[in-house]
Amino acid sequence: MTVENLSSNKSFGGWHKQYSHQSQSLNCAMRFAIYLPPQASRGQKVPVLYWLSGLTCSDENFMQKAGAQRLAAELGIAIVAPDTSPRGSDVADDEGYDLGQGAGFYVNATQAPWNKHYQMYDYIVNELPRLIESMFPVTDKRAIAGHSMGGHGALVIALRNSEAYQSVSAFSPISNPINCPWGQKALTAYLGRDSATWSEYDASVLMRNAKVSNGGTLVPAMVSQGEADNFLAEQLKPEVLQAAAKVSGYPLVLETHEGYDHSYYFIASFIEQHLKFHAEHLR
Amino acid sequence: MTVENLSSNKSFGGWHKQYSHQSQSLNCAMRFAIYLPPQASRGQKVPVLYWLSGLTCSDENFMQKAGAQRLAAELGIAIVAPDTSPRGSDVADDEGYDLGQGAGFYVNATQAPWNKHYQMYDYIVNELPRLIESMFPVTDKRAIAGHSMGGHGALVIALRNSEAYQSVSAFSPISNPINCPWGQKALTAYLGRDSATWSEYDASVLMRNAKVSNGGTLVPAMVSQGEADNFLAEQLKPEVLQAAAKVSGYPLVLETHEGYDHSYYFIASFIEQHLKFHAEHLR
């Protein structure tokens, strides 16, 4: 497998790097970014936080705007930021910003034309961690986090793969996609009109049904939500997630913050809290 | 005068806001951004750091990528980020990224067609601080800083207006524009071929000739430079600035950093040091 290094920037004593590789799951070339803290340059293996971005984003938004590297350097955590969908001129797309390229929703599409490339769930759960763990000085301890569509992705992936992640967190996640316009549009396109198949990609349904099984544990979850977020009532619905956690007794901490919106200014303001939460569980 | 609020984002307990206003100096509408720390919302007047960005930038680059708000909130400093040139369809431009819109070089142009709008020196030194001090709960204590072309601008403006600034700092400044390709191209266009007129916009010339006068003091200066910066040898020439400081005994601290490049990843890594430097002098 060819993996090409596209850029390297020293950052807080560590390195931000972008790579391109041919993805088997997605059947196209994919770019991702990794921040390697200074500990990694000194030969120490570090745990990895996977960050899933929101609609329209690439690997760059979080790395440039969240201000996460300072804490990642201090805590000794690598951060991996994949793209939000398959990309390319031969990859199916839609003119809306909320479907197609930049809007993969972290599902495995079953419907044409999407199913040829849109297998983001497999990419994030299986292919990407295998690649990261083979290429970089990292341990097999993983955490996962994301924003908006990426918050949905992070919660769903942690809820369905509790053995693989130590902790999960989300900013402003699409908490109940089967019941909001963004989610219904994407799930109809990628999975088809039969909404019975949608539930395995709905964090609120999964959290409501979560059970400790096989001696495992539930992945501790933290969610931060701005109260001045324009998408709060129609698209995000954190109250549905919170009610689901109450039913199953899920270890969810949901905090709301007065005055904050849906932007990276909100994420930057609270990323320190999220990284410290993950660091505690990655130890 | 009409000033229009374009956006507001809560950030680290304070507010990031963008405004548009009709500039008298520049003869066009201008956008700027301000970060107001939480102290300002509590009725406390705060000092102001003016941040001048580099080639191709707007008011957004620093606010989105430098991670400065955390420290500004902690230290109680407002940050103002103006645009890097006049803008608009009737404003002279050039196809190069290093001349015209996005590349005002913080000079007062004397040559047509540039002299109609390109009066960035007057805008930053006079018009913008007057506007800021009339609109926001700020004191008249000012600091100034910038990156690359903006580092040049910050140094020149502080050196020529020592009564108006408590401190100045720069990342990767164009330290000797009269002797580098970026500077020579811009100064020729804006000021004309007679290079005798260029020196008043050259930080190294000004620093070499700096003298304490009228019982005033020299503005303390800090410069940070990445050693892996692609523009270091040809365009930036910090060694000329350092030699100039030696001649005049100017209070300049220049630090170089192994492995860092010209990007905002470098700025973000050391912005805390710069903000603490300014905070000490703004007290």
Side-chain angles (χ1 to χ4, degrees):
Chain A
M1 181 172 35
T2 319
V3 182
E4 190 189 354
N5 179 217
L6 303 174
S7 73
S8 297
N9 313 92
K10 195 166 181 180
S11 166
F12 287 94
W15 289 91
H16 166 262
K17 292 168 182 270
Q18 289 176 299
Y19 290 88
S20 174
H21 74 117
Q22 186 62 32
S23 164
Q24 300 302 310
S25 329
L26 301 170
N27 197 20
C28 67
M30 286 295 283
R31 194 173 74 188
F32 69 85
I34 185 168
Y35 177 69
L36 289 163
Q39 293 83 348
S41 304
R42 297 197 294 265
Q44 187 182 322
K45 286 191 167 195
V46 294
V48 182
L49 171 68
Y50 290 85
W51 174 270
L52 307 185
S53 281
L55 288 167
T56 77
C57 289
S58 71
D59 65 295
E60 295 188 330
N61 304 64
F62 179 79
M63 290 296 188
Q64 295 181 353
K65 296 183 175 179
Q69 292 88 348
R70 181 181 63 88
L71 259 291
E74 192 179 308
L75 299 168
I77 299 174
I79 303 178
V80 171
D83 205 342
T84 54
S85 77
R87 301 268 186 188
S89 55
D90 67 328
V91 172
D93 202 1
D94 182 270
E95 58 188 15
Y97 72 97
D98 51 1
L99 187 66
Q101 297 190 31
F105 269 86
Y106 307 101
V107 304
N108 288 336
T110 58
Q111 306 297 302
W114 309 105
N115 53 349
K116 187 176 173 196
H117 295 284
Y118 286 75
Q119 307 293 326
M120 285 296 289
Y121 181 86
D122 276 354
Y123 178 67
I124 301 296
V125 172
N126 297 309
E127 184 177 1
L128 185 62
R130 271 206 302 272
L131 178 65
I132 296 296
E133 290 165 20
S134 72
M135 278 184 70
F136 300 103
V138 298
T139 69
D140 58 1
K141 297 262 191 205
R142 305 171 190 160
I144 191 162
H147 173 231
S148 196
M149 174 183 76
H152 140 75
L155 289 167
V156 164
I157 286 170
L159 285 158
R160 288 174 58 179
N161 301 274
S162 62
E163 73 297 346
Y165 299 94
Q166 308 297 313
S167 48
V168 57
S169 80
F171 288 87
S172 333
I174 304 174
S175 296
N176 188 205
I178 66 173
N179 285 318
C180 79
W182 275 341
Q184 290 168 341
K185 178 176 175 179
L187 296 173
T188 301
Y190 296 140
L191 305 180
R193 297 196 172 277
D194 176 8
S195 61
T197 65
W198 298 0
S199 304
E200 56 182 337
Y201 294 112
D202 187 287
S204 292
V205 172
L206 293 167
M207 197 171 273
R208 176 181 292 264
N209 297 330
K211 284 186 189 65
V212 176
S213 59
N214 298 325
T217 54
L218 301 170
V219 184
M222 167 182 284
V223 170
S224 296
Q225 176 62 54
E227 294 177 12
D229 187 324
N230 285 335
F231 303 110
L232 179 52
E234 189 183 11
Q235 304 281 12
L236 305 179
K237 305 186 190 286
E239 70 283 359
V240 179
L241 189 72
Q242 196 163 36
K246 219 168 221 174
V247 170
S248 63
Y250 199 92
L252 166 72
V253 176
L254 168 69
E255 291 186 3
T256 62
H257 298 279
E258 187 267 321
Y260 286 89
D261 63 18
H262 200 65
S263 73
Y264 265 92
Y265 290 107
F266 172 47
I267 297 173
S269 298
F270 295 94
I271 192 69
E272 176 165 344
Q273 185 191 12
H274 281 238
L275 288 171
K276 287 182 169 170
F277 166 74
H278 290 295
E280 222 168 84
H281 294 286
L282 288 167
R283 255 189 220 121
Chain B
M1 178 172 34
T2 318
V3 182
E4 190 191 352
N5 179 217
L6 303 174
S7 73
S8 297
N9 313 92
K10 195 166 181 180
S11 165
F12 288 94
W15 289 90
H16 167 262
K17 290 167 183 269
Q18 290 176 297
Y19 290 89
S20 174
H21 73 115
Q22 186 62 32
S23 163
Q24 299 303 308
S25 327
L26 301 171
N27 197 20
C28 66
M30 287 295 282
R31 194 173 73 187
F32 69 86
I34 185 167
Y35 177 69
L36 288 163
Q39 294 84 349
S41 304
R42 298 196 295 264
Q44 187 181 324
K45 285 192 168 195
V46 295
V48 182
L49 171 68
Y50 291 84
W51 174 270
L52 307 185
S53 281
L55 288 167
T56 75
C57 290
S58 72
D59 64 293
E60 294 188 333
N61 305 65
F62 180 80
M63 290 297 188
Q64 294 181 352
K65 296 182 175 179
Q69 291 89 349
R70 181 182 63 89
L71 259 292
E74 191 180 309
L75 299 167
I77 299 174
I79 302 178
V80 171
D83 205 344
T84 54
S85 77
R87 301 268 185 188
S89 54
D90 68 328
V91 172
D93 202 1
D94 182 270
E95 58 188 16
Y97 73 96
D98 51 0
L99 188 66
Q101 298 190 30
F105 269 86
Y106 307 101
V107 305
N108 288 335
T110 58
Q111 307 297 301
W114 308 105
N115 53 350
K116 185 175 173 198
H117 296 285
Y118 286 77
Q119 307 293 325
M120 285 296 290
Y121 181 87
D122 276 354
Y123 179 67
I124 302 296
V125 172
N126 298 309
E127 184 178 359
L128 185 62
R130 272 207 301 271
L131 178 65
I132 296 297
E133 290 165 19
S134 73
M135 276 184 72
F136 299 104
V138 298
T139 69
D140 58 2
K141 296 262 190 208
R142 304 171 193 162
I144 191 162
H147 173 231
S148 196
M149 175 183 76
H152 140 76
L155 289 166
V156 163
I157 285 170
L159 284 158
R160 289 173 59 179
N161 301 275
S162 61
E163 73 296 346
Y165 300 94
Q166 308 296 311
S167 48
V168 58
S169 80
F171 288 87
S172 334
I174 304 174
S175 296
N176 188 204
I178 66 174
N179 287 316
C180 79
W182 276 340
Q184 290 167 341
K185 178 176 176 178
L187 297 173
T188 301
Y190 296 140
L191 304 179
R193 297 195 172 276
D194 177 8
S195 61
T197 66
W198 297 1
S199 304
E200 57 182 338
Y201 294 111
D202 188 287
S204 293
V205 172
L206 294 166
M207 198 172 272
R208 176 181 292 266
N209 297 330
K211 285 187 189 64
V212 176
S213 59
N214 299 326
T217 54
L218 301 170
V219 184
M222 166 182 285
V223 170
S224 295
Q225 176 63 55
E227 294 177 11
D229 187 325
N230 285 335
F231 302 110
L232 179 52
E234 189 182 11
Q235 304 281 12
L236 306 179
K237 303 183 190 288
E239 70 283 0
V240 180
L241 189 72
Q242 196 162 37
K246 218 167 224 176
V247 170
S248 64
Y250 199 92
L252 167 71
V253 176
L254 169 68
E255 291 186 4
T256 62
H257 298 279
E258 187 266 323
Y260 286 91
D261 62 18
H262 200 65
S263 73
Y264 265 92
Y265 291 108
F266 172 48
I267 297 173
S269 299
F270 294 95
I271 193 69
E272 176 165 346
Q273 184 190 13
H274 281 237
L275 287 171
K276 287 180 170 170
F277 166 76
H278 290 295
E280 223 168 83
H281 294 286
L282 288 167
R283 252 188 221 123

